[in-house]
Amino acid sequence: QKEVEQNSGPLSVPEGAIASLNCTYSDRGSQSFFWYRQYSGKSPELIMSIYSNGDKEDGRFTAQLNKASQYVSLLIRDSQPSDSATYLCAVNQGWGGATNKLIFGTGTLLAVQP
Amino acid sequence: GAVVSQHPSRVICKSGTSVKIECRSLDFQATTMFWYRQFPKQSLMLMATSNEGSKATYEQGVEKDKFLINHASLTLSTLTVTSAHPEDSSFYICSAIPRNQPQHFGDGTRLSIL
């Protein structure tokens, strides 16, 4: 059973702080990794994608990938109350996106306190 | 950017009714679309992969005769929940993959069976 695991939270951080969201995956052959944000009652929206080891930055968001440790994380700098949502980690099952099937973690609920 | 449109956004109907949900790619062609189901406080679970011009591929445990998928064109996939019962009440979300981009999700359909 290929799995993606996240701490369900809630992760509570004060406004302006750095929020750190973590995800581990079991399929060593996974190639593509994604972070989606999902507000309550809404569908997921893509925040970041990362395909190679290291860091990838986009505005206040930084994704970090370590394939050897099978670990991917998302850092949110200068957290805002509007960042409060569930963050879903998703992993592309298989090599090279051949199937394009995504396996989702259960999500981490982030609460940014004003 | 790429847009995936899903309709209707909400359905409330009686037990035994069949419900059709549409998923459209508005500005790109999608040979493959995905259908997910999400129960409250749970992650997205892939139900099936919809393939244009051929049969859908269902995930283990998903009844193909219960959840009928038709992908008759490059921009439209439909999911029909046949003879729906209260346990089918859920949030159904479709997604599609624009060229060289990650999956984009529709806004979801909240189905409530009375």
Side-chain angles (χ1 to χ4, degrees), chain A residues 28-99:
Chain A
R28 188 170 288 278
S30 300
Q31 293 294 296
S32 306
F33 308 87
F34 308 91
W35 283 98
Y36 286 86
R37 177 175 65 196
Q38 186 176 26
Y39 292 112
S40 181
K42 303 294 185 182
S43 67
E45 58 178 316
L46 182 68
I47 298 296
M48 292 282 286
S49 59
I50 187 166
Y51 305 97
S52 55
N53 282 328
D55 295 0
K56 179 182 178 183
E57 185 175 322
D58 183 2
R60 295 188 295 114
F61 299 97
T62 298
Q64 300 174 317
L65 175 61
N66 184 326
K67 289 186 179 180
S69 300
Q70 296 175 237
Y71 174 92
V72 59
S73 65
L74 178 70
L75 300 178
I76 306 175
R77 290 181 298 281
D78 188 24
S79 296
Q80 301 297 309
S82 58
D83 295 326
S84 298
T86 296
Y87 288 80
L88 299 169
C89 173
V91 174
N92 187 324
Q93 186 181 35
W95 291 90
T99 65

Side-chain angles (χ1 to χ4, degrees), chain A residues 4-7 21-25 35 70-74 89-91 105:
Chain A
V4 177
E5 296 190 357
Q6 297 178 253
N7 187 320
L21 305 161
N22 304 313
C23 172
T24 58
Y25 59 95
W35 283 98
Q70 296 175 237
Y71 174 92
V72 59
S73 65
L74 178 70
C89 173
V91 174

Side-chain angles (χ1 to χ4, degrees), chain A residues 6 34 36 38 40-46 49 51 88-89 93 99-102 104-107, chain B residues 32 34 36 38 41-46 49 59 91 93 97 101-108 110:
Chain A
Q6 297 178 253
F34 308 91
Y36 286 86
Q38 186 176 26
S40 181
K42 303 294 185 182
S43 67
E45 58 178 316
L46 182 68
S49 59
Y51 305 97
L88 299 169
C89 173
Q93 186 181 35
T99 65
N100 291 320
K101 290 169 64 171
L102 288 178
F104 282 87
T106 53
Chain B
T32 302
F34 300 91
Y36 295 85
Q38 186 178 36
K41 300 190 183 301
Q42 295 187 22
S43 190
L44 278 74
M45 296 300 296
L46 179 65
T49 303
E59 295 300 301
F91 191 43
I93 312 173
I97 306 175
Q101 296 185 39
Q103 284 189 33
H104 282 67
F105 288 88
D107 288 336
R110 189 160 302 281

